[in-house]
Amino acid sequence: MAIADPIYISINNKPRAVLEVMDRLQTQSAQQQEAFYQRRLMPRHLFLAGLPFVAADWLLGYNCLTLSLVTAGLWGAGAVVGLALRRARPSGTFPPHFAAAREVIHTLRDDPDPRRNLFGHLDLSGARQPAKRFREGVNLRGLAMEYYRDEWLSLKARLYDGNMLRVAAIERVKVRKQYYKRSAISGKMKLKPAKAASTQQLKVRLSINPQEYEIVEKPSLRPGTVVGGYTVLQATTIGGIIDLTAGSSRVSIPASDVLSVLRLTYDQLQRKA
């Protein structure tokens, strides 16, 4: 499986400007991939270019330290170029949440107040980092565990209708560290590799504009309601604020599921006469 390039975008601009940055990243990635494939055969060409000089030494009866020195230079250059290409090889793939985040922002692009910016971040640098590890412990079997919290998407916007919307998409990862276990058959100690499991969580907070809306809670806001790939875990409507938390065991979340949860949140509003 290809390893995706890490991406981090700090958001403090109009939604369309954010989309332009994301599209530019995709274009640059495609250009880098094309440039790499154009250069990937250079080491082979340099190797082949050195062969005629070896043949010339042999045909002319020279020793191997005459024209073959050119061959050594070409082969050395080929080795250096090959190593550089291997290190600089682009993955050609984007993290799985990139497309979902772009579609969410694209769908919401006209909802924020045009006089205000969209705030937040898109952090697709990976969950298993020391800065994102929030707890360590042991499981019921006494094995060492690590717990990570990765808020990979955060959006905050004052909407056109005066409501304030906050969205946070979070990946929670628990990792059982590697450990040694004695085999019941051979009696030898074997290393068991680390094992990870992740879940997705979506937090939505909608602070309503009391001059335009009132909250009329519907049965669909109850815990246990399934919305796409999410399940509502917790929901409150206190003080003109709707707080909703939904969870999913899926590794990759499509934008349609995120937007469905946002629609569910907005369905609890009723415009005042």
Side-chain angles (χ1 to χ4, degrees), residues 163-164 204-221 235-244 264-273:
N163 296 333
M164 175 67 77
V204 180
R205 167 172 280 201
L206 184 64
S207 304
I208 70 168
N209 176 8
Q211 297 177 351
E212 297 289 338
Y213 293 97
E214 60 182 351
I215 299 176
V216 181
E217 187 174 337
K218 299 178 182 178
S220 57
L221 202 64
T236 60
T237 57
I238 301 175
I241 299 175
I242 301 176
D243 271 315
L244 185 151
L264 173 66
T265 306
Y266 240 85
D267 284 345
Q268 314 308 310
L269 302 188
Q270 179 174 294
R271 188 177 289 274
K272 292 183 177 180

Side-chain angles (χ1 to χ4, degrees), residues 6-7 123-134 146-150:
I7 294 174
D123 182 1
L124 302 180
S125 58
R128 294 173 64 174
Q129 301 182 42
K132 299 178 181 180
R133 185 176 57 227
F134 72 94
E146 292 179 328
Y147 299 86
Y148 297 85
R149 182 184 184 276
D150 180 19

Side-chain angles (χ1 to χ4, degrees), residues 21-118:
V21 172
M22 299 180 75
D23 291 342
R24 195 179 307 127
L25 284 174
Q26 288 184 303
T27 301
Q28 291 175 353
S29 176
Q31 292 174 345
Q32 292 173 357
Q33 191 74 8
E34 183 179 358
F36 172 81
Y37 278 109
Q38 291 176 349
R39 299 169 184 168
R40 74 187 190 282
L41 296 179
M42 287 182 60
R44 183 183 300 178
H45 293 160
L46 290 172
F47 175 81
L48 295 176
L51 294 179
F53 296 97
V54 176
D57 266 351
W58 182 76
L59 291 174
L60 297 176
Y62 296 154
N63 58 44
C64 294
L65 297 178
T66 309
L67 296 177
S68 296
L69 292 176
V70 178
T71 301
L74 291 173
W75 287 0
V80 172
V81 172
L83 182 61
L85 287 173
R86 178 175 296 182
R87 291 179 176 177
R89 179 171 186 168
S91 69
T93 60
F94 274 74
H97 299 312
F98 184 89
R102 189 198 179 282
E103 187 173 345
V104 169
I105 296 173
H106 181 266
T107 303
L108 301 176
R109 67 192 183 282
D110 294 325
D111 292 333
D113 186 332
R115 298 168 298 178
R116 299 175 182 268
N117 286 349
L118 179 67

